[in-house]
Amino acid sequence: MKALLINYEYPPLGGGTAIANYYLLKEFSKYKDLKLDLLTSAANNYCEQKLNSNIRIIRFDIGKNNLQLHHQNLQTIFSYFIQSTIWTLRHKNNYDLIHAFSGLPGCITAWLSGKPYLVSFRGAEEPGYEPRYDWLLKLIKPLLKIFYGQAKYLDANSLYLKNLVLKSWPDLKIQVINNGIDATKFFPAKKIVRQPIILCTSRLAARKGVEYLIKAMALIPKGKLLLVGVGKLESAMKILVKQLHLSKKVKFLGMIQHDRLPPIYRRSKLFVLPSLSESQSNSLLEALASGLPAVATNIGGNPELINEKNGLLVTPENSQELAQAISKLLNSRLKSKPGKIYSWEKPAKEYYQLYSRLPF
């Protein structure tokens, strides 16, 4: 069985979708009867690399030049779409099926190929999730109905995202395949963390709402905020920190490789996710698995993960409410009890079984 996986984000590019893809490939490498090629984007020049005997990664140069690796725009996505589509049409006969991991732009390429394909929704493929793309998604909505409707299988990584897609296309049949966690890396600290260290791992972009967290820090009498991530708003947020005289309370750690994150989670007392929209956050899963209680906005897939045993939900864009929740958890003895957080083995097995059944 030979599959083509299409995803414009893969580490070091991208965020949660890229990380999910990374762990799935690690699991796919265990299935020796599965030959898989991933078409993705390069941080710089075109390159091909072998992960092992059955998985190959092909990276297209989309003009990043090692800049803004966590932020994509229409120009770079379109460049990726053109290159990946030309490559797919040239090599489509080498594959049994195509998996568009993230609906756009991969599902368009998959549809053009004429091969059986499945689509995994990860966010930003439908109106209502990513405001900056809403105009385009509404414009091509009739075409998306065709692309999604002719897929052999559709899945979303949260119940919220499934329902959001169904608002636009109620006739689609969508299953939920949740993200996973590498429990060998993300686990609670052996000793109780007493320092009031607040952690946020996020792209510094408008949708992530980090500016509201920075403003909340001005209302918290104690606590130090560690911000992991980069983005287009980084300069503006550093200016905001200076304006609020928070330079001693807020530290920008920049972009940190994913395999270096676990010790940072274990050194922290509390995790905060102030997003304005979110499907199923890998960062939130990692924090909960690391034993951190969490404050998260009451949006998207967050309520599927946060309950009275592991954190608090707050109104988005509300710094005062955010500050109150953070202060409350800093002064409590609450530890994360995340419930069912699965390893990446489970979703990988589900996808492998789907591959084996295609075409239905």
Side-chain angles (χ1 to χ4, degrees):
M1 176 170 48
K2 192 161 186 181
L4 180 65
L5 190 59
I6 302 178
N7 180 9
Y8 68 91
E9 291 189 345
Y10 188 81
L13 276 77
T17 300
I19 295 300
N21 207 163
Y22 168 81
Y23 281 108
L24 285 173
L25 286 194
K26 286 184 66 176
E27 293 297 327
F28 285 150
S29 67
K30 300 174 183 177
Y31 297 98
K32 298 306 178 184
D33 62 331
L34 172 63
K35 303 294 182 183
L36 187 144
D37 289 340
L38 168 66
L39 300 186
T40 190
S41 304
N44 199 346
N45 298 321
Y46 173 93
C47 64
E48 296 184 19
Q49 64 183 116
K50 276 274 198 180
L51 278 189
N52 49 48
S53 60
N54 62 323
I55 295 180
R56 178 175 60 155
I57 298 177
I58 299 161
R59 295 180 181 268
F60 299 108
D61 180 3
I62 59 172
K64 279 292 182 181
N65 297 317
N66 290 310
L67 299 173
Q68 293 288 344
L69 298 184
H70 285 272
H71 179 83
Q72 314 306 330
N73 56 39
L74 288 178
Q75 180 180 344
T76 56
I77 292 174
F78 185 71
S79 175
Y80 168 78
F81 168 68
I82 294 297
Q83 294 181 71
S84 60
T85 299
I86 291 172
W87 197 98
T88 299
L89 295 180
R90 285 176 177 171
H91 300 89
K92 63 180 183 178
N93 292 331
N94 296 335
Y95 302 98
D96 300 308
L97 62 101
I98 296 177
H99 185 175
F101 194 76
S102 188
L104 291 174
C107 78
I108 305 175
T109 301
W111 179 82
L112 289 170
S113 75
K115 305 292 290 187
Y117 64 96
L118 57 155
V119 176
S120 294
F121 295 110
R122 312 297 297 183
E125 304 101 333
E126 62 292 310
Y129 185 88
E130 180 69 85
R132 63 191 173 121
Y133 293 142
D134 262 5
W135 67 272
L136 175 61
L137 293 170
K138 290 176 181 177
L139 184 66
I140 64 172
K141 189 174 176 181
L143 290 175
L144 292 177
K145 182 179 181 180
I146 297 172
F147 303 148
Y148 297 157
Q150 293 189 15
K152 298 296 183 182
Y153 183 88
L154 300 168
D155 71 87
N157 65 355
S158 68
L159 182 61
Y160 156 77
L161 187 56
K162 170 184 175 177
N163 291 333
L164 182 62
V165 176
L166 290 177
K167 283 184 179 180
S168 294
W169 301 282
D171 295 332
L172 296 180
K173 293 182 179 180
I174 306 172
Q175 303 301 316
V176 175
I177 297 181
N178 294 123
N179 289 341
I181 280 294
D182 185 346
T184 65
K185 293 182 178 179
F186 297 96
F187 53 84
K190 294 181 180 180
K191 296 182 179 180
I192 296 175
V193 177
R194 302 196 182 278
Q195 294 297 319
I197 296 175
I198 303 158
L199 177 64
C200 176
T201 61
S202 172
R203 252 180 251 195
L204 302 182
R207 183 175 66 83
K208 293 298 186 175
V210 177
E211 64 270 30
Y212 299 100
L213 174 55
I214 292 173
K215 292 175 182 178
M217 291 302 298
L219 306 174
I220 298 170
K222 63 177 182 178
K224 183 175 182 178
L225 174 62
L226 303 182
L227 288 174
V228 175
V230 296
K232 294 185 72 174
L233 297 182
E234 183 173 354
S235 296
M237 290 184 186
K238 286 182 176 179
I239 292 172
L240 178 61
V241 166
K242 289 183 179 180
Q243 289 174 339
L244 295 176
H245 308 289
L246 295 173
S247 297
K248 292 183 178 180
K249 295 182 69 173
V250 179
K251 185 175 182 180
F252 291 84
L253 300 184
M255 186 169 67
I256 293 178
Q257 291 182 356
H258 191 256
D259 58 4
R260 293 174 54 203
L261 287 177
I264 298 177
Y265 280 108
R266 287 192 286 274
R267 289 199 299 269
S268 304
K269 188 175 179 62
L270 175 67
F271 181 82
V272 181
L273 183 68
S275 299
L276 310 187
S277 67
E278 199 76 54
S279 178
Q280 187 173 77
S281 167
N282 282 316
S283 294
L284 183 55
L285 283 169
E286 291 165 359
L288 295 176
S290 300
L292 274 68
V295 175
T297 43
N298 191 11
I299 50 89
N302 292 346
E304 298 172 43
L305 297 174
I306 297 297
N307 54 56
E308 69 280 358
K309 295 180 180 180
N310 60 19
L312 294 170
L313 292 169
V314 299
T315 306
E317 301 179 276
N318 190 323
S319 296
Q320 185 171 359
E321 191 176 335
L322 199 56
Q324 291 171 348
I326 291 171
S327 295
K328 183 177 180 178
L329 288 189
L330 283 178
N331 293 319
S332 76
R333 296 184 178 181
L334 186 67
K335 282 189 175 183
S336 166
K337 296 179 181 178
K340 289 187 177 180
I341 294 181
Y342 298 105
S343 71
W344 284 107
E345 181 180 0
K346 184 178 184 292
K349 184 177 181 180
E350 292 186 62
Y351 285 128
Y352 173 76
Q353 290 173 340
L354 284 171
Y355 294 171
S356 302
R357 291 163 53 198
L358 286 175
F360 296 120

